[in-house]
Amino acid sequence: AHVRSTIQPVLSDDAKAVLKEYYLQLRAEDNSDETPITTRQLESLIRLTESRARVAQRGVATSADAIDVVEIFQHCMRDAKADRNAAGPSGTGKTMGVAKASKLLIAALNRHSEQTCTSLFSVVEIKEVMARAKIEVKSFDSLMFALNDQGFLLKKGTNIFRLQTSTCL
C-alpha cells in the first residue's frame, strides 16, 4: 500500500515508443474473427508497464518494463488464440478450450503410459490416443504447443514427445 501511494511512475520516451510500436503492430494485424484490438488494450499496456516499474520501486517506467509487459501480453494473446482453436468431443460440434482438451489428453496419455509403461509418444500415437478418448481439436499443433509450453509434453525429437507426468521411464 505504501509503494502504491508514494510511487507514481511515468513512462520514459523509450517505453512509450515500445508500447506504441507494439500497439500499432497489433492494430495492423487485427483480424475481425479474433480478439478485437482497441484503445483499451493500449491503456492496459500502459497501466501494466507503470505497475511493473512500481513493483521495482522506480519512478520511471523503462523500455525494459514495456518489453516485459509486451511479452506477457503476447503470451496471453497466444493462449487466447489457442483456446479459440480447440474444439469439443468428436461429433458434438461444441467448443472446448485448450485447457479442457489438455486436461483430457494428459489423463488419456497417463492411462496409456501406465498400460504400455512408456513415457515417449510419437505424434501418430498421440493422435490415436486422442481418437480413442474422442478429443477433437481444430488445431492439433496449437494443442501440442500449449502442452509443450506448459511442460506436460516435452519435445524430444522429430515428432517424439515425453509425457512428464508419467511414472514410467
Side-chain angles (χ1 to χ4, degrees):
H2 172 71
V3 171
R4 185 182 299 168
S5 63
T6 59
I7 300 176
Q8 299 296 323
V10 295
L11 296 178
S12 69
D13 289 340
D14 290 340
K16 289 177 187 176
V18 168
L19 296 179
K20 178 181 175 183
E21 181 179 327
Y22 180 63
Y23 175 72
L24 292 175
Q25 175 189 342
L26 284 175
R27 292 288 294 181
E29 296 171 358
D30 188 18
N31 296 322
S32 59
D33 61 332
E34 295 182 8
T35 305
I37 304 301
T38 66
T39 55
R40 293 180 71 105
Q41 278 79 15
L42 177 59
E43 292 165 354
S44 294
L45 290 167
I46 292 169
R47 284 192 305 276
L48 288 167
T49 302
E50 291 169 346
S51 295
R52 173 75 178 81
R54 189 176 295 114
V55 165
Q57 298 185 1
R58 285 186 274 104
V60 177
T62 65
S63 62
D65 295 322
I67 290 169
D68 286 347
V69 167
V70 165
E71 288 174 358
I72 292 167
F73 196 83
Q74 287 172 330
H75 187 77
C76 292
M77 294 289 284
R78 186 178 62 231
D79 285 351
K81 184 176 182 177
D83 275 344
R84 284 190 302 276
N85 288 336
S90 183
T92 65
K94 294 182 180 176
T95 300
M96 127 181 23
V98 167
K100 186 172 182 180
S102 297
K103 193 175 193 178
L104 292 173
L105 179 56
I106 293 301
L109 287 172
N110 276 322
R111 286 190 300 274
H112 187 75
S113 176
E114 288 174 14
Q115 293 168 354
T116 61
C117 202
T118 183
S119 62
L120 294 176
F121 293 91
S122 69
V123 168
V124 171
E125 290 172 312
I126 293 170
K127 287 181 177 181
E128 289 170 356
V129 168
M130 288 176 67
R132 283 195 301 274
K134 297 182 179 172
I135 301 168
E136 187 177 304
V137 293
K138 289 180 184 177
S139 174
F140 177 78
D141 290 338
S142 293
L143 178 61
M144 295 304 290
F145 178 82
L147 289 171
N148 183 260
D149 192 46
Q150 295 166 6
F152 289 110
L153 282 176
L154 298 185
K155 189 164 184 146
K156 298 308 276 183
T158 305
N159 296 325
I160 300 292
F161 291 85
R162 178 182 302 267
L163 179 64
Q164 292 300 101
T165 57
S166 174
T167 56
C168 296
L169 300 174

